[in-house]
C-alpha cells in the first residue's frame, strides 16, 4: 500500500523571506490568471495545452526579471493547478475556474524534492529548505513519515504555513475482524452509532458567530482598504482560522477513535453540496423559509460531514478496515425492528416511535441501525474525461502585471 500524507508546519521566515514569499505567490497568481484568460478567451482560435503555456512562461521569464526571480517549477505548478481545475469542470466535479485573488489565494507549490529539505534544529524547532531562499525555520518539529515529495507554502490568517507531502510503501494490512457499525451523521448529534454511542457536536462556527457578527459590523463602518480596515480584516481571518483548526482537530480525534475500534463502518451517501444549497430562489420565484434554511445550511457545513467521511476512509484502510456507503433515503423514517416506513414515526428530533409495532428508540440511533442493515452501494470510480483544448495562443509577455 502506498501511503501519501502531508504534514503541516507553521513557518517563521525573516522579513526578507516573507517578502519573497509574497512576491512568489503574486507571480504564481499572475501566471494562473493569465493562463485562465488564454483558455477562456482564445480557445476557439487555436489549440492550447499545458505544455504550450509552460513554454510561454519560459519566454516570459526571459523578458521580466520579477518572473525570473521565482522558481520556474512554482510557476509551472500554477498552470498545472489551472489544468486540473479545467479537468474537474469538464468532468462535472466542480464549477468553472475562477481567477485567483490577492490575500485569498496566496500560495505556491515547489515540486522538485532534489531542491527541498527538512531537518531538525532543536527539540521543538525545525527548518525547511526552499530554493533561492535557503533554510527557513518552522515552529514545530515532527519527523516525516516517509520520502519528501513536494512542499506547498500558503499564507493563512497572517502566517505562512508549509504543507510537506511525503509518501512511503507499507505492507497491505491484514483484514480487520472488528465489529461493523452504522453511523448516522446529524446536526443536533454529530454522529450516532448503531451500538448506542452518541457523539456531541463541537459547533466551532456557532461559538464565534456572535463575536464575528460584531466585528463585521465594525468592518462595514470603516473605509475599505484603509489601515484600520486591514487590521480588523486580519483579526476576522484569525477568528475564522481558529474555528477551522478546532473543527479539523475534532474530526481527526473522532475519526481515529472509530477507526481503531471498528472493522467495517457504514455511513449514508450524502450530497452535502445539494443539502446546503441556498433556498433564496429568484425575484420571480422566491424561496420559502429562507432564514430557517440558511441556519440549517450553517449547521450542516459547521459539522464537516464530507471531511469526516474522507478521514474515516483512509484511516480505516490503513488499519485493514473499510468504509461502506448506503442509500440515505428513509433511514430516519424506517423502524429498525419491524421495517415499517412512515414519516410520522419521527416524533421529534430525538424521539422515534413506530406507528406499526410501537417500537420506541432514540431517533438517531434507530437511523444508525437502519444504516448498518442497509445494502452497500457500489463504489463509484473517479470520472475521467479527455479534454480537447483549443485557443489562440496569447503571449504572456504582452500582459503587464
Amino acid at each position: 500500500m502506498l501511503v501519501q500524507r502531508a504534514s503541516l508546519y507553521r513557518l517563521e521566515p525573516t522579513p526578507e523571506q516573507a517578502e519573497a514569499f509574497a512576491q512568489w505567490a503574486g507571480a504564481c497568481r499572475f501566471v494562473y490568471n493569465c493562463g485562465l484568460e488564454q483558455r477562456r478567451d482564445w480557445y476557439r482560435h487555436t489549440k492550447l495545452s499545458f505544455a504550450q503555456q509552460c513554454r510561454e512562461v519560459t519566454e516570459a521569464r526571459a523578458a521580466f526579471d520579477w518572473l525570473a526571480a521565482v522558481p520556474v517549477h512554482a510557476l509551472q505548478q500554477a498552470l498545472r493547478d489551472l489544468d486540473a481545475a479545467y479537468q474537474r469542470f469538464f468532468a462535472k466535479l466542480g464549477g468553472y475556474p475562477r481567477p485567483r485573488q490577492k490575500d485569498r489565494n496566496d500560495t505556491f507549490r515547489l515540486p522538485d524534492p532534489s531542491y527541498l529539505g527538512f531537518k531538525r534544529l532543536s527539540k521543538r524547532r525545525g527548518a525547511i529548505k526552499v530554493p533561492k531562499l535557503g533554510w527557513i525555520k518552522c515552529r514545530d518539529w515532527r519527523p516525516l513519515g516517509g520520502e519528501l515529495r513536494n512542499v506547498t507554502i500558503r499564507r493563512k490568517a497572517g502566517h505562512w504555513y508549509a504543507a510537506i507531502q511525503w509518501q512511503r510503501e507499507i505492507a497491505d494490512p491484514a483484514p480487520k475482524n472488528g465489529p461493523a457499525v452504522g453511523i448516522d451523521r446529524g446536526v443536533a448529534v454529530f454522529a450516532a452509532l448503531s451500538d448506542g454511542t452518541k457523539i456531541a457536536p463541537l459547533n466551532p462556527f456557532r461559538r464565534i458567530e456572535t463575536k464575528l457578527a460584531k466585528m463585521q459590523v465594525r468592518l462595514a463602518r470603516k473605509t475599505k482598504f484603509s489601515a484600520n480596515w486591514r487590521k480588523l480584516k486580519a483579526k476576522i481571518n484569525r477568528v475564522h482560522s481558529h474555528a477551522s483548526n478546532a473543527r479539523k482537530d475534532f474530526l481527526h480525534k473522532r475519526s481515529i477513535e472509530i477507526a481503531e475500534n471498528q472493522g467495517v463502518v457504514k455511513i449514508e451517501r450524502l450530497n452535502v453540496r445539494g443539502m446546503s444549497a441556498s433556498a433564496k430562489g429568484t425575484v420571480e420565484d422566491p424561496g420559502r423559509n429562507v432564514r430557517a434554511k440558511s441556519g440549517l445550511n450553517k449547521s450542516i457545513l459547521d459539522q464537516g460531514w464530507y471531511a469526516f467521511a474522507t478521514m474515516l476512509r483512509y484511516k480505516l484502510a490503513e488499519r485493514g478496515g473499510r468504509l461502506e456507503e448506503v442509500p440515505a433515503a428513509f433511514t430516519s423514517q424506517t423502524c429498525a425492528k419491524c421495517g415499517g416506513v412512515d414519516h410520522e414515526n419521527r416524533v421529534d428530533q430525538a424521539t422515534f416511535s413506530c406507528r406499526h409495532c410501537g417500537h420506541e428508540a432514540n431517533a438517531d440511533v434507530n437511523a444508525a441501525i437502519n444504516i448498518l442493515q442497509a445494502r452497500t452501494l457500489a463504489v463509484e470510480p473517479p470520472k475521467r474525461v479527455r479534454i480537447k483544448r483549443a485557443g489562440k495562443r496569447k503571449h504572456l509577455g504582452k500582459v503587464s502585471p
Side-chain angles (χ1 to χ4, degrees):
M1 176 185 293
L2 180 63
V3 177
Q4 294 182 325
R5 294 288 180 272
S7 301
L8 188 66
Y9 301 87
R10 177 174 162 180
L11 300 178
E12 294 181 339
T14 63
E16 293 77 13
Q17 292 171 338
E19 183 179 359
F21 281 169
Q23 293 175 353
W24 291 9
C28 291
R29 183 172 58 250
F30 168 77
V31 170
Y32 181 95
N33 292 341
C34 283
L36 176 60
E37 182 183 352
Q38 288 178 330
R39 298 199 181 195
R40 182 191 63 201
D41 299 340
W42 299 87
Y43 74 98
R44 294 184 183 275
H45 304 284
T46 184
K47 187 175 181 181
L48 191 65
S49 66
F50 165 72
Q52 288 175 324
Q53 290 186 316
C54 285
R55 286 193 291 270
E56 292 187 0
V57 165
T58 302
E59 296 173 4
R61 293 180 79 245
F64 298 106
D65 294 338
W66 58 275
L67 278 178
V70 183
V72 64
H73 290 163
L75 301 176
Q76 292 173 350
Q77 289 300 306
L79 293 176
R80 187 172 295 279
D81 291 342
L82 176 64
D83 188 68
Y86 268 98
Q87 291 184 20
R88 290 193 297 270
F89 169 70
F90 285 111
K92 298 182 179 180
L93 299 177
Y96 191 81
R98 297 180 178 180
R100 289 185 173 179
Q101 300 178 12
K102 186 178 180 180
D103 297 330
R104 179 174 295 181
N105 305 108
D106 293 342
T107 180
F108 58 90
R109 183 167 61 255
L110 302 170
D112 194 345
S114 62
Y115 293 98
L116 303 172
F118 184 58
K119 67 179 181 180
R120 183 175 183 175
L121 297 179
S122 64
K123 185 176 181 181
R124 296 184 179 181
R125 289 288 187 272
I128 298 172
K129 186 179 180 181
V130 176
K132 297 191 176 185
L133 294 181
W135 290 96
I136 300 175
K137 295 180 180 179
C138 60
R139 194 166 185 174
D140 195 8
W141 162 258
R142 301 184 308 278
L144 300 180
E147 179 185 2
L148 188 151
R149 302 300 300 167
N150 61 66
V151 175
T152 300
I153 297 178
R154 178 187 301 272
R155 179 161 57 185
K156 181 180 179 182
H159 298 288
W160 289 98
Y161 295 88
I164 305 178
Q165 184 183 13
W166 53 267
Q167 68 178 26
R168 73 167 182 230
E169 289 277 355
I170 63 173
D172 292 339
K176 196 171 184 178
N177 297 322
V181 66
I183 298 180
D184 177 64
R185 290 166 290 176
V187 174
V189 176
F190 170 73
L193 280 62
S194 56
D195 59 7
T197 304
K198 294 190 288 293
I199 301 176
L202 181 65
N203 296 327
F205 180 78
R206 293 295 185 184
R207 295 185 177 186
I208 67 169
E209 191 173 16
T210 302
K211 178 180 179 180
L212 194 62
K214 293 179 180 179
M215 297 176 70
Q216 288 173 337
V217 169
R218 292 168 50 198
L219 183 69
R221 295 171 178 171
K222 295 184 181 298
T223 302
K224 198 169 185 179
F225 301 121
S226 65
N228 288 333
W229 183 90
R230 294 181 183 275
K231 291 178 183 178
L232 186 55
K233 185 68 174 178
K235 291 182 180 179
I236 292 176
N237 290 339
R238 286 195 292 270
V239 172
H240 276 294
S241 179
H242 292 161
S244 176
N245 292 339
R247 182 185 300 107
K248 187 181 296 184
D249 179 74
F250 173 80
L251 295 177
H252 273 295
K253 289 179 178 178
R254 301 292 84 79
S255 59
I256 196 69
E257 290 174 0
I258 296 173
E260 290 284 354
N261 299 321
Q262 311 297 336
V264 178
V265 176
K266 289 188 175 184
I267 61 174
E268 298 171 297
R269 179 175 290 179
L270 299 176
N271 180 12
V272 180
R273 176 177 294 181
M275 295 174 64
S276 58
S278 174
K280 186 177 181 180
T282 61
V283 176
E284 296 78 11
D285 185 18
R288 294 179 297 176
N289 299 325
V290 176
R291 185 179 294 274
K293 184 62 169 66
S294 175
L296 178 61
N297 291 350
K298 286 182 183 180
S299 299
I300 289 175
L301 297 175
D302 199 19
Q303 305 309 314
W305 289 346
Y306 185 84
F308 181 64
T310 301
M311 293 177 185
L312 276 177
R313 182 173 287 105
Y314 77 77
K315 290 177 181 180
L316 283 166
E318 288 183 356
R319 292 162 177 79
R322 66 180 185 274
L323 181 70
E324 299 179 357
E325 294 182 330
V326 305
F330 306 112
T331 54
S332 62
Q333 301 177 11
T334 304
C335 178
K337 187 174 183 180
C338 70
V341 181
D342 191 335
H343 70 277
E344 295 183 355
N345 288 345
R346 188 76 178 255
V347 178
D348 54 35
Q349 187 279 323
T351 306
F352 183 91
S353 180
C354 182
R355 302 300 182 187
H356 299 83
C357 67
H359 172 67
E360 294 185 355
N362 179 273
D364 297 315
V365 175
N366 179 83
I369 296 174
N370 290 329
I371 293 171
L372 178 62
Q373 297 172 351
R375 64 178 180 85
T376 302
L377 293 172
V379 178
E380 296 181 352
K383 297 181 180 179
R384 296 183 182 274
V385 178
R386 183 179 295 275
I387 304 172
K388 296 182 179 180
R389 300 182 184 86
K392 187 175 181 180
R393 295 175 60 188
K394 183 177 180 181
H395 201 289
L396 288 177
K398 297 180 181 180
V399 182
S400 60

